[in-house]
Amino acid sequence: TSASALYKTCASSGSGIGKRYLVTGAAGFIGYHAAAKLRSRGDVVVGLDNFNDYYPVSLKRARAQGLVDMGVPVVELDLNDQEGLQELFRLCSFTHVLHLAAQAGVRYAARNPFAYIQSNVAASVSLMETMRLQKPMPLLVYASSSSVYGLSKRFPFTEDDRADRPASLYAATKRSLELLAHSYFNIYRMSVTGLRFFTVYGPWGRPDMSVMAFARNIVDGKPIRVFQGPNGTELARDFTFVEDIVAGVLAALDTSAPSNDPHTAPVNRLYNLGNTQVHTVTEMVRTLEDLLGMKANIRYQPLGATGDVLRTNANITAAHNDLGYTPQTNLRAGLQAFVEWYFQYYGSDGKRRPADEVGYIPD
Ligand code: NAD
């Protein structure tokens, strides 16, 4: 994205008069969908991403190109680059910041701890420091994760449950982000809303996550690894369709009070965004087999010390009451949309791979 394209976007007025949205992690899975949705309702949106190679960069480039085609410039910048960030805020005076950039993934964390500190803790502080110096100060909506509940067995997980026993480094950095955001609210009256997403899947999904990694191996005729807990317990997840997540994200943005406003109190909120219907990983695989029309070769493996939790399940009462959040998509319908996209992106047999595809994909 050139400076002139950026300038043109930021000088234009969208349908939400005077509102300008920055979406961090816009070339990522959820960031792409959220930025596209904001743009489709007429908002002025700028994306930011460092295009790191955690998973195939070609997919991030394709998402970013899709956004650019819709009129969302995507700036290539690392959030730790404070000078670059300040310049961007000078150009665009954002009113709303949707912070989705992160080093995601649970299993990768044990081998790459510093990537998580850099992108989830340091980068978030860099962003919030830049934000607090703006006049007026933008409001913040940021992504947290169901993983903060750790190995809790108090199902369904509720926001005021203890979330201080992380089972992975990833979870620890997401919990740190929640605490840091809380402190920016207390010190600077920054309006902050954290959203704990539960296993998000859908079109343009992440190749390192089970739905996409399994689809790929099923299509390629390779075995898939399904983890099992003690005594053969099945792993189970509150799989949530990306469009439902995006509806919750937009509602959080729309219901946030401005930061540091003399007339309204800024908000300090934290919500689960899940689906509430829990499925075992095997159930997900069976549905995927059905939709792909191919059989999976499942190899069950003991979970070991990966940092994965056995089961997640969201209580979404708070998000429902405050944000009107009501997930609409069941696992089968969501996987159907994913499979359609998969064949469209990777070719009719699902086997085409963009030439430069490199990055972390679990087997
Ligand atoms: P993603 O990896 O597809 O997107 C994150 C994007 O952030 C990537 O494109 C990456 O290049 C970018 N990024 C990382 N570090 C950066 C930095 N320092 N500066 C600038 N950009 C950087 O992940 P996603 O699935 O879209 O997740 C979005 C957010 O939601 C993340 O914060 C993630 O932790 C959280 N989350 C996701 C899920 C899920 O199931 N997908 C579940 C819980 C929480």
Side-chain angles (χ1 to χ4, degrees), residues 40-88:
S40 72
R41 70 180 199 183
D43 285 313
V44 174
V45 190
V46 171
L48 176 156
D49 207 289
N50 70 355
F51 293 89
N52 72 37
D53 63 359
Y54 165 56
Y55 63 72
V57 181
S58 49
L59 183 60
K60 296 186 181 182
R61 296 265 173 229
R63 296 185 189 121
Q65 188 57 51
L67 290 178
V68 168
D69 293 345
M70 282 177 233
V72 177
V74 182
V75 179
E76 183 159 352
L77 189 73
D78 192 295
L79 283 172
N80 289 295
D81 177 351
Q82 279 218 48
E83 261 177 44
L85 257 188
Q86 281 161 14
E87 181 61 28
L88 183 60

Side-chain angles (χ1 to χ4, degrees), residues 45-351:
V45 190
V46 171
L48 176 156
D49 207 289
N50 70 355
F51 293 89
N52 72 37
D53 63 359
Y54 165 56
Y55 63 72
V57 181
S58 49
L59 183 60
K60 296 186 181 182
R61 296 265 173 229
R63 296 185 189 121
Q65 188 57 51
L67 290 178
V68 168
D69 293 345
M70 282 177 233
V72 177
V74 182
V75 179
E76 183 159 352
L77 189 73
D78 192 295
L79 283 172
N80 289 295
D81 177 351
Q82 279 218 48
E83 261 177 44
L85 257 188
Q86 281 161 14
E87 181 61 28
L88 183 60
F89 274 81
R90 249 197 306 279
L91 263 176
C92 284
S93 329
F94 298 107
T95 55
H96 295 61
V97 174
L98 174 58
H99 177 38
L100 301 176
Q103 177 58 57
V106 167
R107 256 161 276 146
Y108 187 75
R111 281 182 283 136
N112 302 277
F114 291 105
Y116 291 75
I117 303 301
Q118 273 301 106
S119 283
N120 303 356
V121 182
S124 299
V125 172
S126 169
L127 176 66
M128 291 187 281
E129 274 299 296
T130 307
M131 287 174 64
R132 70 139 175 117
L133 295 170
Q134 308 304 312
K135 286 188 178 60
M137 198 193 304
L139 61 84
L140 176 69
V141 172
Y142 67 91
S144 184
S145 161
S146 60
S147 64
V148 300
Y149 293 106
L151 299 171
S152 167
K153 289 191 171 58
R154 289 165 54 112
F155 301 112
F157 299 152
T158 303
E159 289 85 347
D160 49 19
D161 288 348
R162 281 181 75 169
D164 58 358
R165 290 176 180 175
S168 69
L169 249 134
Y170 169 67
T173 59
K174 281 295 177 183
R175 183 67 185 136
S176 305
L177 168 56
E178 293 181 352
L179 297 173
L180 287 163
H182 190 98
S183 72
Y184 276 82
F185 164 79
N186 274 322
I187 306 169
Y188 303 109
R189 314 307 290 167
M190 186 183 288
S191 198
V192 300
T193 304
L195 302 172
R196 291 173 172 171
F197 301 155
F198 282 66
T199 316
V200 190
Y201 72 98
W204 295 100
R206 264 175 39 205
D208 62 311
M209 290 186 69
S210 61
V211 168
M212 181 108 147
F214 289 175
R216 189 181 174 110
N217 279 13
I218 294 172
V219 167
D220 289 352
K222 292 185 187 153
I224 63 175
R225 257 186 332 159
V226 173
F227 290 117
Q228 282 180 321
N231 309 318
T233 337
E234 286 263 7
L235 258 64
R237 290 287 178 273
D238 197 327
F239 291 100
T240 312
F241 189 55
V242 66
E243 278 182 24
D244 288 327
I245 291 288
V246 167
V249 166
L250 264 60
L253 286 164
D254 292 344
T255 57
S256 286
S259 295
N260 205 11
D261 183 286
H263 308 294
T264 33
V267 297
N268 176 22
R269 310 181 295 182
L270 201 49
Y271 297 109
N272 288 339
L273 292 186
N275 179 60
T276 73
Q277 289 169 21
V278 181
H279 292 275
T280 65
V281 174
T282 306
E283 278 167 4
M284 184 273 279
V285 173
R286 296 298 176 219
T287 314
L288 208 46
E289 282 181 318
D290 208 25
L291 295 166
L292 289 166
M294 289 172 230
K295 278 274 160 225
N297 173 3
I298 302 182
R299 305 244 168 103
Y300 287 101
Q301 250 183 42
L303 184 56
T306 57
D308 289 274
V309 302
L310 286 176
R311 182 186 175 87
T312 64
N313 184 194
N315 178 339
I316 57 165
T317 309
H320 180 75
N321 291 344
D322 294 1
L323 309 178
Y325 174 71
T326 314
Q328 308 282 337
T329 316
N330 66 29
L331 184 63
R332 193 179 180 87
L335 285 177
Q336 170 80 48
F338 163 76
V339 165
E340 277 164 24
W341 167 81
Y342 188 87
F343 284 124
Q344 209 178 319
Y345 188 76
Y346 290 112
S348 55
D349 62 357
K351 289 192 172 166

